[in-house]
C-alpha cells in the first residue's frame, strides 16, 4: 500500500483494543454554519468516513485520516459554512466497513 500500517496490525492483531467512533455533537457555529464533532471513544485508531446530509438534499462525504487519531487527538471537528444549509443527518462509516463496537452512536440524530 506504500504506507506504514503498524497501527492496524498493533490494534487488531497484537492487542485487544476496540474501535468506537461517535458523533459527539452537532452545533451551530458563531458564523452561522454548523460544526460536527466526531469523538474517538476507543483505543484502536482507524480512518473514518463521515456522511453528512443537509436539508436541501445534499450529501457531503468527509474523510478523517488515521493520522488524526495516531497523534493522540480524541476529537475531530468538521466545520461547514452557512452555505451548506441545515444538517439533518450525520453518519460515521455509512458503508459499514469499520469494526466499530457500538454503532448506535455513529448516527445523529439518535433514535
Amino acid at each position: 500500500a506504500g504506507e506504514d500500517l503498524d497501527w492496524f496490525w498493533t490494534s487488531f492483531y497484537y492487542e485487544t483494543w476496540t474501535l468506537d467512533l461517535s458523533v459527539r455533537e452537532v452545533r451551530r457555529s458563531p458564523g452561522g454554519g454548523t460544526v460536527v464533532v466526531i469523538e474517538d471513544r476507543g483505543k484502536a485508531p482507524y480512518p473514518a468516513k463521515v456522511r453528512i446530509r443537509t436539508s436541501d438534499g445534499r450529501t457531503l462525504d468527509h474523510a478523517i485520516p488515521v493520522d488524526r487519531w495516531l497523534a493522540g487527538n480524541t476529537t475531530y471537528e468538521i466545520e461547514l459554512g452557512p452555505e451548506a444549509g441545515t444538517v439533518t443527518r450525520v453518519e460515521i462509516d455509512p458503508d459499514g466497513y469499520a469494526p466499530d463496537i457500538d454503532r448506535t452512536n455513529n448516527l445523529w440524530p439518535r433514535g
Side-chain angles (χ1 to χ4, degrees):
E3 58 185 278
D4 183 3
L5 296 176
D6 282 348
W7 61 268
F8 176 81
W9 300 114
T10 300
S11 300
F12 298 105
Y13 286 92
Y14 298 114
E15 299 291 343
T16 57
W17 297 343
T18 57
L19 171 67
D20 185 16
L21 296 176
S22 172
V23 180
R24 180 175 179 176
E25 70 176 315
V26 178
R27 67 175 187 267
R28 298 300 275 169
S29 67
T34 304
V35 177
V36 176
V37 181
I38 305 300
E39 180 178 26
D40 183 1
R41 295 181 174 184
K43 191 169 179 182
Y46 202 83
K49 179 179 180 180
V50 180
R51 180 164 291 153
I52 300 168
R53 293 198 181 128
T54 63
S55 59
D56 62 2
R58 285 190 288 163
T59 299
L60 310 169
D61 285 336
H62 190 86
I64 303 174
V66 71
D67 294 342
R68 176 68 183 188
W69 311 126
L70 291 173
N73 297 296
T74 58
T75 60
Y76 184 85
E77 293 188 359
I78 301 168
E79 296 189 34
L80 304 170
E83 70 282 353
T86 302
V87 172
T88 59
R89 181 179 170 95
V90 178
E91 184 175 6
I92 300 171
D93 187 35
D95 301 319
Y97 293 132
D100 196 302
I101 63 165
D102 183 5
R103 292 195 175 276
T104 63
N105 60 20
N106 288 12
L107 291 173
W108 180 91
R110 292 188 177 90

